[in-house]
Amino acid sequence: MTDLNGSVRSALARQRDVDWSEQRNRRVELALLRRANRSVRWAANPKSRPVAMAMAACLLGLLPLAHLWHGSRSAVHAVSAQVTQAPNAARASSSELALPDGSHARLATPASRVTLQRHSQTELRLSLTGEARFEVVLNPARRFIVSVGQVSVEVLGTVFTVTERSDGRVRVAVERGRVGVSWSEHQLFLTAGSDGVFPPLAPAADDSAAAATAALVARESWQNLARAGAMTSAWDALSQAGAPAVRDLPEELLLAADVARQSGHPGEAVAHLNRVITRHSADPRASVAAFTLGRVEGSLGHAGRAAAAFERCVRLAPRGALVQEAYARGIEAWRSSGQSEAASRLAREFVSAFPDSAQAKRLAGAR
């Protein structure tokens, strides 16, 4: 056994000065397996079984070295791992694979395989066949990407499982952290505790799970575009997705209003802003929504509605950062709408609330 182990290690050492190919990798695997199989057959003799079992375990323990080794002369080397069993041995349910950056992959089945496609200071890219659970070391400077067919999963630091399905789609389940799943021209972010199957199928009438996935994809699609500054594309995605793509949350309603305004559809922003003001009046962002609504209504030529919105901003946050500007715009909007009494009332209120401000002194002098 000592001579055999020494010869295997010598063979591996000699490969350090030559490129390591997938074909060479398979040849080493097969050679080790043949020796392992002979060890198992030798174990048929009861007196030899303990020695044979020790030799087989040692040989199989060397397999990860052949899988994980890659030469330094080539920019990209394939590193593959596969659960390999000797005849009559107990089948393992998983296999640990140590990745070059310190991350780990646990292969779920003997047929599962992870191949290293690129390893640099800025990117670690793998391809997966089968199923694996990844535990990724946090490194914001390096992209960690797992590809399965047309689907790619990108992370910074997290724990997640990727499963290749028989129908050609991919299931991604996130245990910790956040991942981005990309396919075709789409991208969706999953957070801890969430999962999905990609690419998603069009939902059937009775398929609530597929419908939920489709709604999630639609919602993430327009929001990702909006956050990237592609407001016209975000508007197109939002229009196609319809109202369910915007949940009744202040942040989503305000973002949808921004998409409408900045893509040239200011009138469509009114409903979203009104929902923030009326349904989330206790939220600090409600005053921002009211101020924005005043500007939108003013741009649409609705002076009276603009004045009412600016005054609503004052009521929602009487000591907020926007209050003085809201007073000034509200007074002007009331005047533009022909409501002089409302303008005077708001002006007096402003002077009383902020007597030392330059605007208040100007208004007091005007009276």
Side-chain angles (χ1 to χ4, degrees):
M1 181 176 69
T2 302
D3 293 340
L4 179 58
N5 288 343
S7 64
V8 171
R9 291 193 178 94
S10 298
L12 289 175
R14 287 195 297 274
Q15 301 302 326
R16 297 183 186 275
D17 295 327
V18 298
D19 286 341
W20 187 271
S21 65
E22 179 65 20
Q23 290 77 15
R24 188 181 298 275
N25 184 66
R26 293 299 299 159
R27 287 200 297 272
V28 172
E29 282 188 30
L30 293 174
L32 293 174
L33 285 175
R34 282 196 294 270
R35 296 185 184 186
N37 291 342
R38 287 200 297 271
S39 297
V40 174
R41 287 196 297 272
W42 185 30
N45 182 346
K47 295 181 179 180
S48 303
R49 186 173 293 118
V51 177
M53 292 177 65
M55 179 177 289
C58 182
L59 283 171
L60 292 174
L62 291 174
L63 284 177
L65 296 176
H67 287 305
L68 293 176
W69 184 89
H70 62 286
S72 59
R73 294 188 178 183
S74 177
V76 180
H77 292 268
V79 178
S80 60
Q82 184 174 358
V83 179
T84 308
Q85 304 294 339
N88 303 320
R91 295 182 65 83
S93 61
S94 62
S95 176
E96 286 284 348
L97 174 62
L99 301 174
D101 69 337
S103 301
H104 288 83
R106 179 182 291 273
L107 305 182
T109 66
S112 298
R113 182 179 293 274
V114 170
T115 302
L116 180 64
Q117 295 183 319
R118 178 178 175 79
H119 178 212
S120 68
Q121 292 183 346
T122 58
E123 182 177 290
L124 179 65
R125 184 179 291 270
L126 309 167
S127 66
L128 168 67
T129 301
E131 177 179 350
R133 177 180 182 270
F134 296 88
E135 189 164 352
V136 182
V137 174
L138 178 62
N139 185 351
R142 175 183 289 147
R143 300 175 68 197
F144 187 103
I145 303 171
V146 179
S147 298
V148 185
Q150 62 177 316
V151 177
S152 295
V153 182
E154 181 173 353
V155 299
L156 290 177
T158 187
V159 178
F160 64 99
T161 299
V162 181
T163 307
E164 184 181 29
R165 291 165 43 115
S166 59
D167 61 1
R169 297 191 295 154
V170 179
R171 179 179 180 272
V172 181
V174 182
E175 297 178 34
R176 185 171 68 244
R178 188 168 182 258
V179 305
V181 184
S182 303
W183 69 98
S184 300
E185 298 179 355
H186 304 283
Q187 185 178 43
L188 174 67
F189 289 97
L190 296 177
T191 55
S194 61
D195 63 88
V197 177
F198 307 93
L201 294 176
D206 57 347
D207 192 345
S208 58
T213 300
L216 179 61
V217 170
R219 184 164 62 249
E220 290 285 349
S221 177
W222 74 263
Q223 290 185 26
N224 290 338
L225 290 168
R227 294 188 181 105
M231 292 303 189
T232 300
S233 298
W235 169 256
D236 292 339
L238 180 56
S239 300
Q240 293 174 8
V246 184
R247 292 176 296 182
D248 190 26
L249 299 174
E251 58 270 23
E252 288 194 18
L253 293 168
L254 287 170
L255 185 60
D258 288 343
V259 169
R261 291 189 305 109
Q262 297 179 36
S263 64
H265 304 84
E268 302 298 329
V270 172
H272 298 306
L273 295 170
N274 272 320
R275 284 173 65 184
V276 178
I277 297 167
T278 57
R279 300 186 184 184
H280 305 281
S281 58
D283 191 289
R285 290 164 290 190
S287 62
V288 176
F291 189 88
T292 305
L293 179 60
R295 293 178 58 193
V296 170
E297 294 286 16
S299 70
L300 295 172
H302 305 151
R305 295 179 186 176
F310 287 125
E311 191 163 345
R312 187 66 181 273
C313 175
V314 171
R315 306 294 176 238
L316 288 169
R319 293 294 174 182
L322 296 172
V323 65
Q324 292 194 39
E325 183 67 17
Y327 266 121
R329 288 178 179 254
I331 294 167
E332 182 61 32
W334 281 129
R335 287 174 177 167
S336 298
S337 67
Q339 302 290 326
S340 57
E341 291 186 5
S344 297
R345 170 184 54 77
L346 197 60
R348 290 193 298 271
E349 185 179 318
F350 177 52
V351 171
S352 176
F354 301 95
D356 297 328
S357 67
Q359 181 71 1
K361 292 176 180 178
R362 186 181 66 80
L363 289 172
R367 288 186 300 172

